Amino acid sequence: MPPQERPCFRPCTTVIKFMTDREIPANVGISISPYTNIDGYSFINIFVRFTQEKFDEPPVDLGVIFAFDEKGTMGARRYVNLEANVPSPQRTNFISVSGEGSWHGSPHNISSYVARFPVMGPFVEVFVYNRAPFPRKVSVWGYLVG
């Protein structure tokens, strides 16, 4: 996209709040609809924060789908990067991140992590998976970079 058609003429940023302090039931994965327009940006940094009382509790994981419109047309959760000289055929990679090992400790009792992705489509949808056998409060925000 030519520079004059981008959201900003110089590198620009914006914040997307997919969810803030939403209670996610035990052992449940949910999507956060609708798909969000991220066209014109180069990277999305997705921040995940969730309540965690003890270091050995199961995490909240993140899944990402890139698509061509807000309905999820041609949406994909798998990708392959052919920049490296590698043998054929290439396997696709699942766009999924584990929150394991991200606990801040007591007295904070939260875990957080950030996942950085190249923008692979003009729309994005995120999923969170609460792997714990009890409900959790979860926040997911995105930071787009032009």
Side-chain angles (χ1 to χ4, degrees):
M1 170 181 307
Q4 64 272 18
E5 294 180 19
R6 293 184 182 169
C8 303
F9 290 105
R10 61 189 186 332
C12 61
T13 62
T14 197
V15 172
I16 301 168
K17 294 181 181 180
F18 295 106
M19 70 166 57
T20 302
D21 293 333
R22 182 168 176 181
E23 187 163 306
I24 307 300
N27 299 307
V28 167
I30 65 164
S31 65
I32 305 163
S33 299
Y35 281 80
T36 301
N37 187 337
I38 59 172
D39 196 22
Y41 292 93
S42 300
F43 293 93
I44 183 168
N45 302 300
I46 301 176
F47 292 74
V48 179
R49 184 184 69 204
F50 57 95
T51 54
Q52 182 171 343
E53 298 291 322
K54 301 175 188 169
F55 78 95
D56 60 349
E57 294 175 1
V60 171
D61 296 343
L62 172 71
V64 180
I65 293 181
F66 292 96
F68 283 87
D69 63 26
E70 62 189 13
K71 295 178 185 174
T73 302
M74 294 293 294
R77 283 195 68 186
R78 293 183 169 269
Y79 76 98
V80 65
N81 185 343
L82 296 175
E83 290 180 12
N85 186 12
V86 291
S88 179
Q90 286 301 298
R91 294 183 187 256
T92 58
N93 301 293
F94 206 60
I95 306 174
S96 182
V97 178
S98 172
E100 187 174 3
S102 61
W103 187 51
H104 289 236
S106 181
H108 307 290
N109 294 332
I110 62 163
S111 284
S112 68
Y113 59 94
V114 62
R116 180 176 174 87
F117 301 98
V119 169
M120 293 185 271
F123 287 79
V124 68
E125 184 173 19
V126 298
F127 296 76
V128 290
Y129 300 92
N130 178 10
R131 304 287 185 200
F134 46 83
R136 287 239 168 87
K137 283 194 177 176
V138 179
S139 296
V140 181
W141 291 12
Y143 181 62
L144 290 164
V145 180

